[in-house]
Amino acid sequence: MKWSEFFVTGEPLIYAADVAIVLTMVGIVFVLTYFKKWKWLWNEWLTTVDHKKIGVMYIICAVLMLFRGGVDALLMRAQLTAPNMKFLDAQHYNEIFTTHGTIMILFMAMPFIIGLMNIVVPLQIGARDVAFPYLNALSFWLFFFGALLFNISFVIGGSPDAGWTAYFPLAGNEFSHGVGNNYYAVALQISGIGTLMTGINFLVTILKMRAPGMTLMRMPMFTWTILITCVLIIFAFPVLTVALALMTFDRVFGTQFFTMANGGMSMLWANLFWIWGHPEVYIVILPSFGIFSEVVSTFAQKRLFGYKAMVGSIVGIAFLSFIVWVHHFFTMGAGPAVNSAFSITTMAIAIPTGVKIFNWLFTIRKGKIRFTTAMLWSLAFIPNFVIGGVTGVMLAMAAADYQYHNSYFLIAHFHYVLIAGTVFACFAGLHYWYPKMFGHILNERLGKWTFWLFMIGFNVCFFPMYFLGLMGMTRRMYTYSAGLGWTPLNVVATVGAVLMGIGFIVLCYNIYYSARYGERDMTGDPWNGRTLEWATASPPVHYNFPVTPVVEDVDAYWVMKKKYGGFHVKEEDLKPIHMPSNSGRPFWMSVAFFVAGFGLVFKWFALAIVGALFIVLGLILRSFEDDDGYHIPVDEIKRMERAARKGA
Amino acid sequence: MKWARWRAVLVLPFLFLFGGCVERTAVLNPQGPVARMQYDLIMWSVGFMLFIIVVVFTLFAVFLIRYREKPENAGYEPPDEEGNTLLEVVWTAIPILIVAALAVPTVKATFALEKPPTEKVKPITIHVTAANWKWIFSYPEENIETVNYVHIPAGVPVKFKLTSVGPMNSFWVPELGGQKYAMDGMETELILQADKPGSYMGRSANFSGEKFAHMEFEVVAQTGTDFRKWVNEVKQTAPKLDEKKYTQILKPGLVGRMTFSNTHLQWIDHAKQNSHHADGKPMKNDDQSDEAMTNSHHHGE
């Protein structure tokens, strides 16, 4: 392989990116060295097993990926603003929509949600960490290096270009010769293994580590949604693992699972992909429902309406999510009976979802609504998501879907559910739990600017796309001709995308501004919260709770405040606390995964084998490790509690 | 005012709906019985969807305005209500009824679309082969072939037999009806019909690689007489297609319109190239396999 093939060349945008990457890396190394922070970075972050720090790292990555995916989106909108634009060529455009989709779903939405659940779930159930803290660190680093591997593709080797769905035979060797789709297969595999382990970890955490008194039906709604999400992950992700493994065999070793020749079956890929892919969208939407439930209840200052129905409907949605995948390809010609069956199962999802919408509405009824930024995001979710939902029902009608399929109508629909559902939830959760993560509140004024810019921009961008779809514009077109009449709506959409971009910039400025000038949260409970995470200091001491709280009802902390005036800890009740030790092994094992993955991508098998050997070495070392963690003595707890509660 | 803000948000979508930006083209301009059946189904569903939107948006607006925190209600403590069984039954039952009201016509239409819209007229068959990045149309009975455009008789159901040599594409002529995939080594069938003579744009709706955006074709619907005249003209004037020329056409890239006085089906049918079907039979997308029709493709010339 020549150097000119190894590095992507020929695009001014890519050269600019090369320079930016080198400068950023030099800058990071310089800052760490100058401020002597290498040791701090290693001890406090790279080797941590603390669920809160891991959660923060997930969210930092997610925001970075939101930036990357957002730049991809703006480049696409720029190219589509006018007919016959020459801004991007076809190949470049194809790479950009592929990375946009993959990054936004797998490296933005997923880590954002997983980050929030890392921070919140153990706190909400009154636990000191997750069930398997070491595994949790490994999950994060596998995600991190998977994402890194995927992202370097645009400067080294070339990006995947067959869409985030990577349909065969297009994504196979017969039509995609570069290493781009190898990156797709291997990078998603590495981070997917991390996600699967997260699913197992949190399932066990929630089932086994709840505080005394917290029965399943007293769990906070966010924890409920995470529990069900874990079940979805455990059933869905192995399908992705297998599908990606077969794809890797096809692409790297020349097997013929999905090829045109020698009896390959490309439809098999589409089925496997969506058997994972449909539950996957519920993996990012159910936790969002949980976040909205928490925020709406807190700021309506009222208990969640119809708790049992809410639990029932998430279980129902989760079940249905596994029996609808064919609706992604009604047009494959499976026959009217099959299509009818999948139409009905798909439409049925509207029933539990509708129940949830009405329960949220009736939670705010008779409430006392405080319009904080987190609440604005949660309230805006309702009308916007309903638009996405009803158009989803329209898409579910197979006979009509033949006219919507793969058109901008579909694009509008899934952005309405994924942005108004998941992205709004991530922003709501970020503002809501920010004081819990960092000890200060995100500025509300800037927060509201972000909200209005982004929310209005979102509607201006995506609502016209419903009509572009009905006017015949199909997805993934890098350009269109002037006579089609699509130009005005495309211009409007681009304006909306720019507004969203400005909203994101205001959010980033808010993070900086609030770190410097933001209001410090000394109480640990800035929003008059209802669940146990607000019973801890902001940010919580690393062991979370000095003594394990006892739960008497749903909204455990609310009840404590009403009955006892808060969560009080008597110093004589303190006992030494058992905590897990930090470990550097998850980090370097994930580096080994990265090295092995890079070797597979380029078919440098010696490198892949070296990486694999280090992975095995890590497994062996862990198996013979004799580290039961450590105990924090009572005096130390007393000292830390006083320090944390100084302001209260 | 908060209300003014919310109203702006609510009204915005309807501005687009009635604004001058939306032209009645493609899906919104059905020009045949298939597209019209789908259009009617779409409009039927839109009615229910608008009803849902109005109900939710109204409740949403009323609750937001009435129950916001104001200086006047500082002492108000929201009630500790767990839920309301009657209400919850109501808002479970109504969506079930709506889904039923949508499911019945959906299932009917989904089955109806697999059959010709009219029994009175004998359908014609056109084989469609998608290749990187062009559409090849073969008329087995007329024994002619076109590239990137297709003539059809108006008022006659057309059975498009879709396949692909290469990546999956989707055959979509929105004004005549919904799409179906064209896949390698397989045959799918899409029935469309035009009401009257005219020109309708078609394109691939499934991404198939670099120049996919240019995979457009024109459907020219003509009266029966004009169509037969055109067929005869092609038979007399168009050149013959040979394997060499055909291989050239299949090479990845763009080509213009072409016309030939024979079809490539006489030496290869890509729908039967998958080794899963060693017996040479195509994979059918429905059970009513039409043997007579299939045979006529091979002995038609």
Side-chain angles (χ1 to χ4, degrees):
Chain A
M1 175 175 269
K2 290 195 281 292
W3 284 110
S4 61
E5 284 170 26
F6 185 72
F7 289 109
V8 177
T9 52
E11 278 277 350
L13 282 171
I14 299 287
Y15 292 131
D18 289 335
V19 173
I21 290 168
V22 171
L23 287 179
T24 310
M25 289 199 305
V26 170
I28 291 172
V29 170
F30 175 78
V31 167
L32 287 172
T33 312
Y34 185 80
F35 292 103
K36 300 194 171 67
K37 288 287 188 188
W38 284 105
K39 213 171 157 143
W40 165 83
L41 181 71
W42 179 257
N43 289 335
E44 296 289 317
W45 296 96
L46 301 190
T47 60
T48 187
V49 294
D50 181 343
H51 69 97
K52 300 177 288 296
K53 284 183 178 168
I54 289 173
V56 167
M57 291 192 289
Y58 265 118
I59 290 175
I60 291 171
C61 292
V63 173
L64 287 173
M65 289 296 99
L66 180 58
F67 172 74
R68 159 84 207 265
V71 170
D72 283 348
L74 287 172
L75 290 173
M76 286 192 282
R77 281 315 321 162
Q79 167 67 16
L80 291 178
T81 310
N84 299 318
M85 286 276 276
K86 298 278 185 281
F87 176 60
L88 301 173
D89 63 25
Q91 177 59 27
H92 200 175
Y93 186 87
N94 297 345
E95 292 175 9
I96 286 176
F97 73 66
T98 301
T99 55
H100 168 77
T102 314
I103 284 176
M104 284 301 202
I105 296 277
L106 287 147
F107 301 127
M108 190 285 286
M110 291 288 288
F112 217 131
I113 294 289
I114 291 176
L116 289 171
M117 84 193 219
N118 256 285
I119 292 162
V120 177
V121 166
L123 292 171
Q124 276 197 335
I125 61 173
R128 296 221 159 94
D129 205 321
V130 295
F132 312 112
Y134 174 95
L135 192 68
N136 200 25
L138 187 59
S139 283
F140 169 74
W141 289 111
L142 285 177
F143 148 73
F144 178 88
F145 284 102
L148 189 67
L149 187 63
F150 188 84
N151 273 277
I152 61 168
S153 68
F154 90 110
V155 288
I156 296 175
S159 297
D161 58 358
W164 88 281
T165 48
Y167 271 15
F168 279 80
L170 181 62
N173 284 332
E174 290 157 314
F175 297 98
S176 297
H177 307 295
V179 295
N181 285 295
N182 296 355
Y183 272 115
Y184 175 97
V186 176
L188 264 57
Q189 186 70 285
I190 291 172
S191 62
I193 293 168
T195 306
L196 182 55
M197 297 193 309
T198 298
I200 295 166
N201 207 341
F202 277 78
L203 183 86
V204 178
T205 304
I206 295 171
L207 289 181
K208 301 293 288 181
M209 295 177 69
R210 297 190 309 277
M214 186 179 277
T215 58
L216 284 175
M217 291 311 276
R218 284 182 186 168
M219 291 199 309
M221 193 49 61
F222 180 64
T223 299
W224 251 117
T225 58
I226 295 301
L227 177 69
I228 301 302
T229 301
C230 290
V231 175
L232 288 183
I233 289 176
I234 291 167
F235 281 98
F237 265 77
V239 182
L240 179 72
T241 307
V242 169
L244 288 173
L246 298 182
M247 181 181 189
T248 310
F249 292 156
D250 264 18
R251 290 199 52 89
V252 178
F253 302 115
T255 56
Q256 312 276 340
F257 292 106
F258 308 125
T259 54
M260 287 167 41
N262 299 324
M265 176 62 90
S266 56
M267 288 194 308
L268 182 62
W269 168 265
N271 277 281
L272 289 174
F273 182 87
W274 286 114
I275 287 172
W276 161 77
H278 200 84
E280 163 65 15
V281 297
Y282 287 88
I283 289 168
V284 294
I285 206 69
L286 288 183
S288 308
F289 289 170
I291 294 168
F292 293 130
S293 299
E294 301 292 336
V295 173
V296 165
S297 163
T298 301
F299 294 111
Q301 312 193 53
K302 193 163 157 284
R303 166 204 277 263
L304 189 65
F305 194 91
Y307 177 94
K308 283 181 197 150
M310 288 296 226
V311 172
S313 51
I314 45 175
V315 174
I317 292 171
F319 172 73
L320 288 172
S321 77
F322 278 99
I323 52 171
V324 298
W325 80 93
V326 168
H327 73 214
H328 294 275
F329 42 82
F330 280 144
T331 49
M332 203 174 256
V338 171
N339 281 354
S340 297
F342 280 91
S343 270
I344 292 168
T345 54
T346 306
M347 283 191 266
I349 290 187
I351 298 162
T353 314
V355 167
K356 295 186 78 71
I357 294 282
F358 282 106
N359 278 315
W360 285 311
L361 283 173
F362 276 69
T363 304
I364 60 176
R365 176 171 163 266
K366 294 187 187 170
K368 197 160 75 169
I369 305 164
R370 290 160 59 201
F371 289 93
T372 58
T373 307
M375 186 62 163
L376 285 178
W377 285 114
S378 307
L379 291 173
F381 150 76
I382 293 175
N384 285 300
F385 190 81
V386 165
I387 294 174
V390 295
T391 49
V393 174
M394 291 168 73
L395 279 155
M397 301 162 67
D401 174 74
Y402 303 156
Q403 285 282 36
Y404 309 130
H405 184 71
N406 274 356
S407 76
Y408 264 75
F409 191 91
L410 170 76
I411 301 292
H413 156 71
F414 74 67
H415 283 90
Y416 259 86
V417 284
L418 281 171
I419 294 182
T422 304
V423 177
F424 283 17
C426 289
F427 288 157
L430 186 69
H431 282 84
Y432 182 60
W433 283 306
Y434 204 82
K436 198 48 58 189
M437 298 177 214
F438 297 106
H440 60 267
I441 294 167
L442 275 179
N443 184 280
E444 280 286 300
R445 210 180 130 79
L446 288 169
K448 284 172 186 170
W449 269 102
T450 303
F451 168 74
W452 287 108
L453 282 165
F454 196 94
M455 199 275 287
I456 292 172
F458 158 70
N459 276 285
V460 173
C461 183
F462 291 102
F463 204 82
M465 291 187 187
Y466 283 119
F467 296 96
L468 280 172
L470 296 176
M471 289 160 75
M473 183 163 171
T474 55
R475 72 193 295 196
R476 296 170 173 173
M477 298 178 71
Y478 81 99
T479 193
Y480 54 93
S481 49
L484 293 160
W486 300 344
T487 316
L489 290 178
N490 271 302
V491 172
V492 173
T494 303
V495 171
V498 171
L499 284 179
M500 293 168 82
I502 298 171
F504 177 76
I505 292 171
V506 176
L507 173 72
C508 294
Y509 176 70
N510 194 359
I511 289 171
Y512 160 80
Y513 177 89
S514 303
R516 290 201 66 169
Y517 311 109
E519 185 190 332
R520 307 290 128 170
D521 170 35
M522 306 310 245
T523 62
D525 182 21
W527 313 119
N528 195 11
R530 309 176 75 84
T531 39
L532 281 178
E533 71 268 33
W534 305 109
T536 61
S538 287
V541 192
H542 68 285
Y543 50 72
N544 296 349
F545 299 92
V547 295
T548 303
V550 177
V551 175
E552 297 180 26
D553 201 350
V554 199
D555 293 343
Y557 186 48
W558 186 260
V559 174
M560 276 181 199
K561 286 193 282 191
K562 290 271 164 213
K563 272 194 174 166
Y564 315 110
F567 174 52
H568 300 295
V569 179
K570 293 196 206 89
E571 292 204 333
E572 60 266 29
D573 291 345
L574 293 176
K575 289 195 195 83
I577 295 175
H578 181 206
M579 294 299 288
S581 311
N582 283 1
S583 172
R585 201 178 306 109
F587 180 81
W588 69 249
M589 265 179 80
S590 302
V591 173
F593 267 95
F594 178 86
V595 171
F598 195 79
L600 269 183
V601 166
F602 284 91
K603 302 190 197 176
W604 296 343
F605 296 119
L607 188 67
I609 289 167
V610 170
L613 287 177
F614 272 95
I615 297 169
V616 174
L617 177 68
L619 293 173
I620 293 170
L621 287 175
R622 173 64 177 169
S623 303
F624 292 100
E625 189 171 44
D626 193 16
D627 180 357
D628 288 336
Y630 63 98
H631 285 83
I632 310 172
V634 172
D635 288 340
E636 181 75 6
I637 303 169
K638 281 184 188 162
R639 194 184 60 74
M640 286 199 236
E641 280 302 301
R642 284 188 205 118
R645 294 283 177 176
K646 216 161 28 189
Chain B
M1 277 301 289
K2 286 225 168 67
W3 169 230
R5 253 192 237 162
W6 282 110
R7 199 172 48 191
V9 174
L10 298 184
V11 165
L12 196 68
F14 297 98
L15 284 182
F16 283 118
L17 241 175
F18 303 113
C21 290
V22 180
E23 287 175 45
R24 282 181 67 90
T25 56
V27 178
L28 302 174
N29 181 34
Q31 293 298 314
V34 174
R36 206 170 313 107
M37 182 193 287
Q38 289 165 326
Y39 181 83
D40 293 343
L41 186 63
I42 290 169
M43 287 303 141
W44 170 256
S45 67
V46 165
F48 284 99
M49 297 309 143
L50 284 177
F51 166 74
I52 294 168
I53 285 180
V54 167
V55 169
V56 172
F57 282 34
T58 309
L59 288 175
F60 180 71
V62 170
F63 293 169
L64 275 199
I65 294 159
R66 279 193 62 178
Y67 300 108
R68 65 192 194 279
E69 190 175 52
K70 302 169 273 215
E72 303 94 271
N73 69 359
Y76 168 66
E77 176 127 356
D80 192 42
E81 54 176 354
E82 279 190 37
N84 181 319
T85 313
L86 178 69
L87 279 175
E88 290 177 56
V89 169
V90 169
W91 64 56
T92 313
I94 292 176
I96 290 176
L97 293 177
I98 294 178
V99 166
L102 296 174
V104 172
T106 299
V107 172
K108 274 189 187 162
T110 306
F111 276 88
L113 289 173
E114 301 297 321
K115 295 194 192 79
T118 167
E119 307 243 302
K120 288 181 205 132
V121 190
K122 189 176 168 283
I124 85 158
T125 300
I126 300 175
H127 284 239
V128 181
T129 308
N132 275 350
W133 290 275
K134 70 271 302 176
W135 291 98
I136 301 161
F137 299 92
S138 321
Y139 297 69
E141 280 155 87
E142 291 76 10
N143 197 29
I144 57 172
E145 182 151 307
T146 58
V147 177
N148 287 336
Y149 79 104
V150 58
H151 281 233
I152 59 168
V156 177
V158 184
K159 281 190 180 173
F160 289 104
K161 306 259 184 191
L162 313 172
T163 190
S164 168
V165 42
M168 190 167 90
N169 279 285
S170 195
F171 181 85
W172 191 29
V173 191
E175 285 169 338
L176 299 184
Q179 63 196 287
K180 208 167 255 183
Y181 287 162
M183 292 174 290
D184 176 76
M186 273 170 263
E187 185 174 277
T188 47
E189 186 180 278
L190 178 67
I191 302 169
L192 299 177
Q193 183 178 327
D195 284 335
K196 50 183 190 295
S199 159
Y200 310 102
M201 282 307 290
R203 67 172 64 251
S204 172
N206 193 71
F207 178 63
S208 56
E210 193 184 345
K211 298 195 166 66
F212 138 83
H214 301 295
M215 275 185 80
E216 294 175 338
F217 57 93
E218 186 189 3
V219 181
V220 181
Q222 298 173 297
T223 61
T225 332
D226 286 350
F227 175 72
R228 271 185 299 279
K229 214 168 28 180
W230 172 79
V231 170
N232 283 330
E233 208 180 286
V234 169
K235 279 167 121 48
Q236 281 159 21
T237 58
K240 288 261 178 223
L241 178 66
D242 55 28
E243 288 200 52
K244 206 173 129 210
K245 175 75 182 158
Y246 184 65
T247 317
Q248 236 174 23
I249 294 174
L250 288 187
K251 280 196 183 131
L254 298 177
V255 297
R257 293 184 180 195
M258 292 184 228
T259 316
F260 300 101
S261 56
N262 60 330
T263 78
H264 73 268
L265 296 175
Q266 59 199 93
W267 62 83
I268 188 164
D269 181 349
H270 300 283
K272 294 170 187 162
Q273 291 308 300
N274 195 309
S275 44
H276 277 305
H277 315 296
D279 56 350
K281 277 195 186 148
M283 184 142 150
K284 301 285 286 188
N285 69 312
D286 57 2
D287 303 332
Q288 319 138 337
S289 100
D290 197 343
E291 276 307 319
M293 186 65 79
T294 315
N295 290 337
S296 75
H297 298 167
H298 303 286
H299 310 297
E301 58 267 2

